């Protein structure tokens, strides 16, 4: 992104958006994958009292960024403490502006903090306890945890490219179709909104399940 910083724009009530996502049905096969992640998180919380989640995809531009944000929103809103979320790629690019725009349309506040080829953003609202910083980086960047984290692989390419994620104590695959397939088409906005909604829906399920497992 270049040019002057632009104010965040929101077009929805985040409360209504979250309520709609939590009411959506999830198919049985996908539920099994989500519940495996929830069980992993609950087990690590029971053992250590805290969990670092690092969402990983190839470019750390779309799916892993959306997952990082929604996981932190869902954890905080569900009352599950001890969760910190991060993301990274096998290479760094930038938080794609189409994905940023999709987040803004949910009602979250997303503000650019820097300019340049790889700007930093701050996300707030939706029950987040603290503003959440996002920018593209490799998964082994110094800003991410280097040991004892749960690696969540959000794309099959990254999953195959990283047979071993150094420092991860657990590894879970939760892959999503890349919304970039619609870039430059009439379906672009709809596709990004659908992927954003899917990730939000699924991660709210994960943290509701974590909360239930720890009661």
């Amino acid at each position: 992104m270049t040019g002057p910083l632009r104010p965040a724009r929101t077009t929805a009530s985040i409360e209504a958006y979250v309520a709609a996502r939590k009411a959506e049905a999830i198919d049985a096969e996908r539920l099994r994958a989500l519940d495996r992640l929830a069980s992993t998180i609950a087990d690590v919380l029971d053992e250590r009292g805290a969990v670092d989640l690092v969402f990983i995809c190839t470019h750390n531009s779309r799916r892993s960024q959306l997952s990082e944000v929604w996981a932190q929103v869902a954890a905080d809103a569900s009352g599950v403490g001890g969760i910190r979320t991060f993301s990274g790629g096998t290479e760094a690019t930038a938080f794609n502006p189409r994905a940023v725009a999709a987040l803004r349309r949910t009602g979250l506040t997303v503000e650019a903090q820097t300019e340049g080829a790889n700007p930093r953003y701050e996300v707030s609202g939706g029950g987040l306890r603290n503003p959440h910083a996002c920018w593209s980086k490799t998964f082994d960047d110094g800003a991410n945890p280097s040991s004892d984290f749960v690696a969540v692989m959000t794309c099959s390419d990254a999953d195959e490219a990283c047979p071993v994620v150094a420092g991860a104590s657990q590894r879970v695959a939760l892959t999503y179709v890349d919304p970039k397939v619609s870039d430059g088409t009439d379906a672009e906005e709809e596709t990004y909104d659908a992927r954003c909604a899917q990730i939000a829906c699924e991660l709210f399920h994960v943290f509701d399940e974590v909360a239930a497992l720890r009661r």
Side-chain angles (χ1 to χ4, degrees), residues 31-167:
L31 278 174
R32 285 191 288 272
L34 298 172
D35 290 347
R36 282 194 296 272
L37 176 57
S39 179
T40 297
I41 294 169
D43 287 347
V44 176
L45 277 174
D46 288 343
E47 179 183 348
R48 299 178 189 158
V51 179
D52 286 341
L53 296 171
V54 181
F55 293 89
I56 300 172
C57 67
T58 305
H59 299 116
N60 191 211
S61 59
R62 297 170 176 83
R63 291 164 288 179
S64 54
Q65 295 278 2
L66 294 173
S67 297
E68 173 189 359
V69 170
W70 285 118
Q72 194 67 65
V73 171
D76 288 355
S78 302
V80 177
I83 303 295
R84 296 194 306 167
T85 71
F86 306 84
S87 66
T90 55
E91 59 184 280
T93 55
F95 193 170
N96 190 277
R98 300 171 183 86
V100 173
L103 275 181
R104 286 176 172 153
R105 288 191 292 271
T106 72
L108 289 171
T109 298
V110 187
E111 297 180 331
Q113 303 297 300
T114 66
E115 301 180 8
N118 185 13
R120 296 188 179 216
Y121 296 91
E122 188 175 86
V123 183
S124 58
L128 281 169
R129 294 191 183 103
N130 299 295
H132 193 83
C134 298
W135 72 99
S136 184
K137 67 192 87 65
T138 56
F139 67 84
D140 57 357
D141 187 271
N144 287 344
S146 60
S147 63
D148 297 328
F149 59 89
V150 177
V152 185
M153 314 304 290
T154 62
C155 80
S156 56
D157 288 345
D159 200 19
E160 293 168 3
C162 298
V164 176
V165 178

